[in-house]
Every structure is written in C-alpha cells, then in structure tokens.
Amino acid sequence: MNITKAEFATSSSKPSQCPKTELPEFAFIGRSNVGKSSLTNMLTQRKGLAKTSGAPGKTKLINHFLINEEWYLVDLPGYGYAKVSKTDRQTFMKLIYDYFEDRENMVNAFVLVDSRHEPQKSDIDFMYWLGEKGIPFSVVMTKVDKLSVSEFEQTKERYHTKMLETWEELPPFFYTSATGRTGKEELLGYIDECIKLYKASV
Ligand code: GTP
Ligand code: MG
C-alpha cells in the first residue's frame, strides 16, 4: 500500500467524539514512550503529523488520522508507565478500554512493545484483555535500531516463548524502527490485507 494522503481528523477525549464512520480503523496502542506516535509518522511519512516526545505521556487523547480517504489510523495514549502520574494513567486506561469496547469498525489493534525490554506484565495483561473481548491484535516490536542482530534475535525468541505460555498460537508479529523505517512495507501490506477482508465482510 502506498500512502498518498494522510490528514489529521479528530482528537477525542471519549469514544462518542470519535468520527462516526464505517471506514475500517487500525489502533496503535502500548506503553507510554514505546513509539506509537513515531510509528504513525513513519508509516505516513509525515514527520509532525502525530506529536512525539522523549517524555512519556505525550499523547493524551484518541487521535484519528484519515489515510487515503479509505481508512483511519488511530494513535492512542499509552498505558502502564510508572513515571506518568497516577491520575493520568487512570484517565488513559479508561479512555483506552472505552475506545476498544465502543469502536465496531476497529479492525486490528497493533500492540507496540519495546524490543529492548523483557515482556512486561502490563502488555501481557492488555493482550489478554483484548483476547477476552475477542478483539484481533498483532504485536509490533519497536525501536529495533537500538539492538544488535543477536540481541534482536534473542528478545524476539524470548517474546514468542513468553506469549506461548498463555496463547495457543502467536499473533502476527512485526519488527519496526521509526528512525530506520524498518517494517513499513510489512505493516502496510498487512493493513491492506485486513481492509480487503473487512470490505468483503460488510
Ligand atoms: P506516548 O504518547 O507518551 O504514550 O508515547 P508514544 O508511544 O507515542 O512514543 P513517541 O512516538 O512519542 O516516542 C517516544 C520516544 O521514543 C521519542 O523520543 C522517540 O523519538 C523515540 N522513538 C520512537 N520510535 C523510535 C524508534 O523506532 N527508534 C528510536 N531509536 N527511537 C524511537
Ligand atoms: Mg504518543
């Protein structure tokens, strides 16, 4: 898929403010600072489209971006980061749960995890919750530019092993770097496939 048009649509503090649409949408979710907004910019090749920051807790609202006038990319606030205030964490968590329970046009959640870190309880718990709700998701390991080839292979294996403790089979995995533009074709190709299936089903 080629992204020829990427435009900011809305910022919402609750699902009822999100665009009323039947267009398919794809959510980017994960711990604060994992690189959700950076990935949005990398995929759309629009540097400042989503606001990024070295300090966690930058994205505070549900941000919809309309892509190719065909689908929405949704950049969400992060969860589970100790340095984000408790009040913000609680607000973000409610917003995230409400969002996923509400959006019937949400086709796939991309759960971003930092490829440098061991599997985190907050991520494993969140994926479990998605599974219970029957919400399809894939895992995106971010910031792979920060790892050597052997470190990358090790963390990848560890992650797969950890997930197979609770899941019978692995969800799709993607490996990305916003700085190196790694994984763009794979992710956009997957989104393309999902859109085709979604259109065939409605
Ligand atoms: P919140 O909105 O706070 O939840 O964070 P976020 O998940 O949107 O993260 P964001 O995209 O703002 O990135 C956080 C920090 O990680 C920034 O300093 C980015 O420059 C950096 N970063 C994001 N992706 C990558 C990557 O692929 N490689 C490297 N080296 N740094 C990255
Ligand atoms: Mg963000």
Side-chain angles (χ1 to χ4, degrees), residues 28 33-47 50 52 112-113 115 140-146 174-184 187:
F28 288 77
N33 212 44
V34 68
K36 302 174 291 296
S37 302
S38 302
L39 189 62
T40 299
N41 294 339
M42 187 272 263
L43 293 175
T44 57
Q45 295 187 68
R46 293 269 307 272
K47 235 180 167 182
T52 65
L112 276 61
V113 301
S115 59
V140 179
M141 299 189 82
T142 64
K143 308 191 187 184
V144 297
D145 56 282
K146 298 217 180 203
F174 299 94
Y175 309 96
T176 64
S177 162
T179 47
R181 303 229 162 143
T182 314
K184 182 170 172 236
L187 257 176

Short mmCIF file of all heavy atoms in Angstrom, two decimals, residues 28 33-47 50 52 112-113 115 140-146 174-184 187:
data_model
loop_
_atom_site.label_atom_id
_atom_site.label_comp_id
_atom_site.label_asym_id
_atom_site.label_seq_id
_atom_site.Cartn_x
_atom_site.Cartn_y
_atom_site.Cartn_z
N PHE A 28 -3.19 1.97 17.29
CA PHE A 28 -1.82 1.78 17.77
C PHE A 28 -1.80 2.02 19.27
O PHE A 28 -2.08 3.12 19.74
CB PHE A 28 -0.86 2.74 17.04
CG PHE A 28 -0.64 2.31 15.63
CD1 PHE A 28 -1.62 2.54 14.67
CD2 PHE A 28 0.50 1.62 15.27
CE1 PHE A 28 -1.45 2.10 13.36
CE2 PHE A 28 0.68 1.18 13.96
CZ PHE A 28 -0.29 1.43 13.01
N ASN A 33 5.62 5.97 25.64
CA ASN A 33 7.00 6.09 25.19
C ASN A 33 7.48 4.94 24.30
O ASN A 33 8.65 4.91 23.90
CB ASN A 33 7.95 6.23 26.40
CG ASN A 33 9.15 7.09 26.08
OD1 ASN A 33 9.01 8.13 25.45
ND2 ASN A 33 10.33 6.65 26.46
N VAL A 34 6.59 3.99 23.98
CA VAL A 34 7.03 2.84 23.19
C VAL A 34 7.26 3.22 21.72
O VAL A 34 7.98 2.53 20.99
CB VAL A 34 6.02 1.67 23.32
CG1 VAL A 34 4.69 2.00 22.66
CG2 VAL A 34 6.57 0.39 22.77
N GLY A 35 6.61 4.34 21.30
CA GLY A 35 6.82 4.80 19.92
C GLY A 35 5.59 4.74 19.03
O GLY A 35 5.69 4.64 17.81
N LYS A 36 4.39 4.86 19.63
CA LYS A 36 3.15 4.81 18.86
C LYS A 36 3.04 5.99 17.89
O LYS A 36 2.72 5.83 16.71
CB LYS A 36 1.93 4.82 19.80
CG LYS A 36 1.94 3.66 20.78
CD LYS A 36 0.81 3.75 21.80
CE LYS A 36 0.94 4.89 22.80
NZ LYS A 36 2.11 4.78 23.70
N SER A 37 3.30 7.19 18.41
CA SER A 37 3.16 8.38 17.58
C SER A 37 4.27 8.43 16.52
O SER A 37 4.04 8.83 15.37
CB SER A 37 3.17 9.64 18.45
OG SER A 37 2.11 9.56 19.40
N SER A 38 5.48 8.00 16.90
CA SER A 38 6.59 7.98 15.94
C SER A 38 6.29 7.01 14.80
O SER A 38 6.61 7.29 13.64
CB SER A 38 7.89 7.54 16.63
OG SER A 38 8.19 8.41 17.69
N LEU A 39 5.66 5.88 15.13
CA LEU A 39 5.33 4.91 14.09
C LEU A 39 4.27 5.47 13.14
O LEU A 39 4.32 5.24 11.93
CB LEU A 39 4.86 3.59 14.73
CG LEU A 39 4.69 2.42 13.78
CD1 LEU A 39 6.00 2.03 13.11
CD2 LEU A 39 4.13 1.19 14.51
N THR A 40 3.31 6.20 13.71
CA THR A 40 2.29 6.88 12.90
C THR A 40 2.97 7.77 11.86
O THR A 40 2.65 7.74 10.68
CB THR A 40 1.38 7.74 13.80
OG1 THR A 40 0.73 6.90 14.74
CG2 THR A 40 0.35 8.51 13.00
N ASN A 41 3.93 8.55 12.32
CA ASN A 41 4.63 9.47 11.41
C ASN A 41 5.48 8.71 10.39
O ASN A 41 5.55 9.11 9.23
CB ASN A 41 5.50 10.43 12.22
CG ASN A 41 4.67 11.36 13.09
OD1 ASN A 41 3.49 11.56 12.83
ND2 ASN A 41 5.28 11.93 14.12
N MET A 42 6.11 7.64 10.84
CA MET A 42 6.95 6.85 9.92
C MET A 42 6.09 6.24 8.81
O MET A 42 6.41 6.33 7.63
CB MET A 42 7.69 5.77 10.70
CG MET A 42 8.72 5.01 9.90
SD MET A 42 8.01 3.58 9.07
CE MET A 42 8.41 2.27 10.23
N LEU A 43 4.96 5.64 9.20
CA LEU A 43 4.11 4.97 8.20
C LEU A 43 3.53 5.96 7.20
O LEU A 43 3.42 5.65 6.01
CB LEU A 43 2.97 4.21 8.89
CG LEU A 43 3.35 3.01 9.74
CD1 LEU A 43 2.13 2.44 10.44
CD2 LEU A 43 4.02 1.92 8.89
N THR A 44 3.17 7.14 7.69
CA THR A 44 2.54 8.13 6.81
C THR A 44 3.57 9.04 6.14
O THR A 44 3.20 9.86 5.30
CB THR A 44 1.54 9.01 7.59
OG1 THR A 44 2.25 9.65 8.67
CG2 THR A 44 0.40 8.19 8.17
N GLN A 45 4.82 8.91 6.53
CA GLN A 45 5.90 9.78 6.04
C GLN A 45 5.58 11.26 6.26
O GLN A 45 5.87 12.10 5.42
CB GLN A 45 6.15 9.53 4.56
CG GLN A 45 6.68 8.14 4.30
CD GLN A 45 7.08 7.96 2.86
OE1 GLN A 45 8.04 8.56 2.39
NE2 GLN A 45 6.34 7.14 2.15
N ARG A 46 4.93 11.54 7.41
CA ARG A 46 4.63 12.93 7.76
C ARG A 46 5.21 13.16 9.16
O ARG A 46 4.61 12.76 10.16
CB ARG A 46 3.11 13.15 7.78
CG ARG A 46 2.44 13.06 6.42
CD ARG A 46 2.39 14.42 5.74
NE ARG A 46 1.78 15.41 6.63
CZ ARG A 46 0.48 15.65 6.69
NH1 ARG A 46 -0.37 14.98 5.94
NH2 ARG A 46 0.01 16.58 7.51
N LYS A 47 6.35 13.82 9.19
CA LYS A 47 7.14 13.94 10.42
C LYS A 47 6.36 14.47 11.63
O LYS A 47 6.42 13.92 12.70
CB LYS A 47 8.34 14.85 10.15
CG LYS A 47 9.65 14.20 10.50
CD LYS A 47 10.78 15.15 10.19
CE LYS A 47 12.07 14.65 10.83
NZ LYS A 47 13.17 15.56 10.60
N ALA A 50 1.75 13.25 14.03
CA ALA A 50 1.43 12.94 15.44
C ALA A 50 2.54 13.51 16.31
O ALA A 50 3.71 13.45 15.96
CB ALA A 50 1.33 11.43 15.62
N THR A 52 5.23 13.70 19.09
CA THR A 52 6.06 12.72 19.80
C THR A 52 6.87 13.44 20.88
O THR A 52 7.03 14.67 20.83
CB THR A 52 7.04 12.03 18.84
OG1 THR A 52 7.96 13.01 18.36
CG2 THR A 52 6.33 11.39 17.67
N LEU A 112 2.09 -2.26 20.56
CA LEU A 112 3.51 -1.97 20.42
C LEU A 112 4.25 -2.31 21.71
O LEU A 112 3.80 -1.96 22.80
CB LEU A 112 3.72 -0.47 20.11
CG LEU A 112 3.60 -0.05 18.64
CD1 LEU A 112 2.22 -0.35 18.08
CD2 LEU A 112 3.94 1.42 18.47
N VAL A 113 5.37 -3.00 21.56
CA VAL A 113 6.23 -3.30 22.71
C VAL A 113 7.65 -2.93 22.36
O VAL A 113 8.07 -3.05 21.21
CB VAL A 113 6.13 -4.80 23.12
CG1 VAL A 113 4.70 -5.18 23.49
CG2 VAL A 113 6.65 -5.72 22.03
N SER A 115 11.33 -3.36 21.85
CA SER A 115 12.11 -4.58 21.59
C SER A 115 13.31 -4.72 22.54
O SER A 115 13.89 -5.79 22.63
CB SER A 115 12.59 -4.61 20.14
OG SER A 115 13.39 -3.48 19.88
N VAL A 140 3.75 -5.43 17.69
CA VAL A 140 4.78 -4.69 16.95
C VAL A 140 5.95 -4.42 17.90
O VAL A 140 5.78 -3.71 18.89
CB VAL A 140 4.24 -3.34 16.42
CG1 VAL A 140 5.33 -2.57 15.69
CG2 VAL A 140 3.03 -3.56 15.52
N MET A 141 7.09 -5.02 17.61
CA MET A 141 8.27 -4.74 18.44
C MET A 141 8.97 -3.52 17.84
O MET A 141 9.40 -3.55 16.68
CB MET A 141 9.20 -5.95 18.48
CG MET A 141 8.49 -7.16 19.09
SD MET A 141 9.58 -8.57 19.42
CE MET A 141 10.28 -8.10 20.98
N THR A 142 9.06 -2.45 18.66
CA THR A 142 9.57 -1.16 18.14
C THR A 142 11.05 -0.95 18.49
O THR A 142 11.63 -1.69 19.29
CB THR A 142 8.77 0.01 18.75
OG1 THR A 142 8.99 0.03 20.17
CG2 THR A 142 7.28 -0.10 18.45
N LYS A 143 11.62 0.08 17.90
CA LYS A 143 12.98 0.56 18.20
C LYS A 143 14.04 -0.51 17.95
O LYS A 143 15.02 -0.62 18.70
CB LYS A 143 13.08 1.09 19.64
CG LYS A 143 11.99 2.14 19.98
CD LYS A 143 12.23 2.85 21.29
CE LYS A 143 11.05 3.75 21.65
NZ LYS A 143 11.26 4.54 22.86
N VAL A 144 13.85 -1.34 16.92
CA VAL A 144 14.82 -2.41 16.66
C VAL A 144 16.20 -1.85 16.29
O VAL A 144 17.20 -2.55 16.39
CB VAL A 144 14.33 -3.42 15.58
CG1 VAL A 144 13.08 -4.15 16.02
CG2 VAL A 144 14.10 -2.74 14.24
N ASP A 145 16.24 -0.58 15.89
CA ASP A 145 17.54 0.05 15.57
C ASP A 145 18.46 0.11 16.78
O ASP A 145 19.67 0.26 16.66
CB ASP A 145 17.31 1.46 15.01
CG ASP A 145 16.50 2.34 15.94
OD1 ASP A 145 15.24 2.19 15.98
OD2 ASP A 145 17.07 3.17 16.65
N LYS A 146 17.88 -0.03 17.99
CA LYS A 146 18.68 0.06 19.22
C LYS A 146 19.34 -1.26 19.58
O LYS A 146 20.06 -1.34 20.57
CB LYS A 146 17.81 0.54 20.38
CG LYS A 146 17.23 1.94 20.14
CD LYS A 146 17.19 2.73 21.41
CE LYS A 146 16.61 4.12 21.16
NZ LYS A 146 17.02 5.05 22.18
N PHE A 174 5.38 -7.94 14.07
CA PHE A 174 6.08 -7.02 13.18
C PHE A 174 7.25 -6.40 13.95
O PHE A 174 7.18 -6.26 15.17
CB PHE A 174 5.13 -5.92 12.68
CG PHE A 174 3.98 -6.48 11.90
CD1 PHE A 174 2.76 -6.77 12.52
CD2 PHE A 174 4.10 -6.76 10.55
CE1 PHE A 174 1.70 -7.32 11.82
CE2 PHE A 174 3.05 -7.30 9.82
CZ PHE A 174 1.85 -7.58 10.46
N TYR A 175 8.28 -6.04 13.22
CA TYR A 175 9.51 -5.51 13.84
C TYR A 175 9.82 -4.19 13.17
O TYR A 175 10.02 -4.15 11.94
CB TYR A 175 10.65 -6.53 13.67
CG TYR A 175 10.20 -7.91 14.13
CD1 TYR A 175 9.72 -8.84 13.22
CD2 TYR A 175 10.20 -8.22 15.49
CE1 TYR A 175 9.25 -10.08 13.65
CE2 TYR A 175 9.73 -9.46 15.92
CZ TYR A 175 9.25 -10.38 15.00
OH TYR A 175 8.78 -11.59 15.43
N THR A 176 9.83 -3.11 13.97
CA THR A 176 9.91 -1.79 13.33
C THR A 176 10.97 -0.88 13.94
O THR A 176 11.38 -1.05 15.09
CB THR A 176 8.55 -1.05 13.44
OG1 THR A 176 8.27 -0.81 14.82
CG2 THR A 176 7.42 -1.82 12.80
N SER A 177 11.36 0.07 13.14
CA SER A 177 12.16 1.19 13.62
C SER A 177 11.67 2.45 12.94
O SER A 177 11.62 2.50 11.70
CB SER A 177 13.64 0.97 13.29
OG SER A 177 14.32 2.20 13.39
N ALA A 178 11.26 3.43 13.75
CA ALA A 178 10.77 4.68 13.17
C ALA A 178 11.93 5.46 12.56
O ALA A 178 11.76 6.14 11.55
CB ALA A 178 10.07 5.51 14.24
N THR A 179 13.10 5.33 13.15
CA THR A 179 14.26 6.07 12.63
C THR A 179 14.79 5.38 11.36
O THR A 179 15.15 6.05 10.40
CB THR A 179 15.39 6.16 13.68
OG1 THR A 179 15.58 4.85 14.23
CG2 THR A 179 15.05 7.12 14.79
N GLY A 180 14.82 4.06 11.36
CA GLY A 180 15.36 3.33 10.21
C GLY A 180 14.31 2.96 9.17
O GLY A 180 14.63 2.36 8.17
N ARG A 181 13.05 3.31 9.45
CA ARG A 181 11.93 2.98 8.56
C ARG A 181 11.77 1.47 8.34
O ARG A 181 11.24 1.04 7.32
CB ARG A 181 12.10 3.64 7.19
CG ARG A 181 12.22 5.13 7.27
CD ARG A 181 11.30 5.77 6.31
NE ARG A 181 11.09 7.15 6.65
CZ ARG A 181 10.96 8.12 5.77
NH1 ARG A 181 11.01 7.83 4.49
NH2 ARG A 181 10.76 9.35 6.17
N THR A 182 12.23 0.70 9.30
CA THR A 182 12.10 -0.75 9.19
C THR A 182 10.65 -1.17 9.39
O THR A 182 9.96 -0.58 10.22
CB THR A 182 12.96 -1.42 10.30
OG1 THR A 182 14.22 -0.78 10.32
CG2 THR A 182 13.12 -2.91 10.09
N GLY A 183 10.21 -2.15 8.64
CA GLY A 183 8.91 -2.78 8.89
C GLY A 183 7.72 -2.09 8.24
O GLY A 183 6.59 -2.55 8.37
N LYS A 184 7.99 -1.00 7.54
CA LYS A 184 6.89 -0.22 6.96
C LYS A 184 6.09 -1.04 5.93
O LYS A 184 4.87 -1.10 6.01
CB LYS A 184 7.50 1.02 6.30
CG LYS A 184 6.48 1.94 5.71
CD LYS A 184 7.13 3.25 5.31
CE LYS A 184 6.15 4.08 4.55
NZ LYS A 184 6.60 4.49 3.24
N LEU A 187 3.98 -3.85 7.58
CA LEU A 187 2.80 -3.35 8.32
C LEU A 187 1.72 -2.86 7.38
O LEU A 187 0.55 -3.20 7.53
CB LEU A 187 3.22 -2.21 9.24
CG LEU A 187 3.36 -2.55 10.71
CD1 LEU A 187 3.87 -1.35 11.50
CD2 LEU A 187 2.00 -2.95 11.27
#
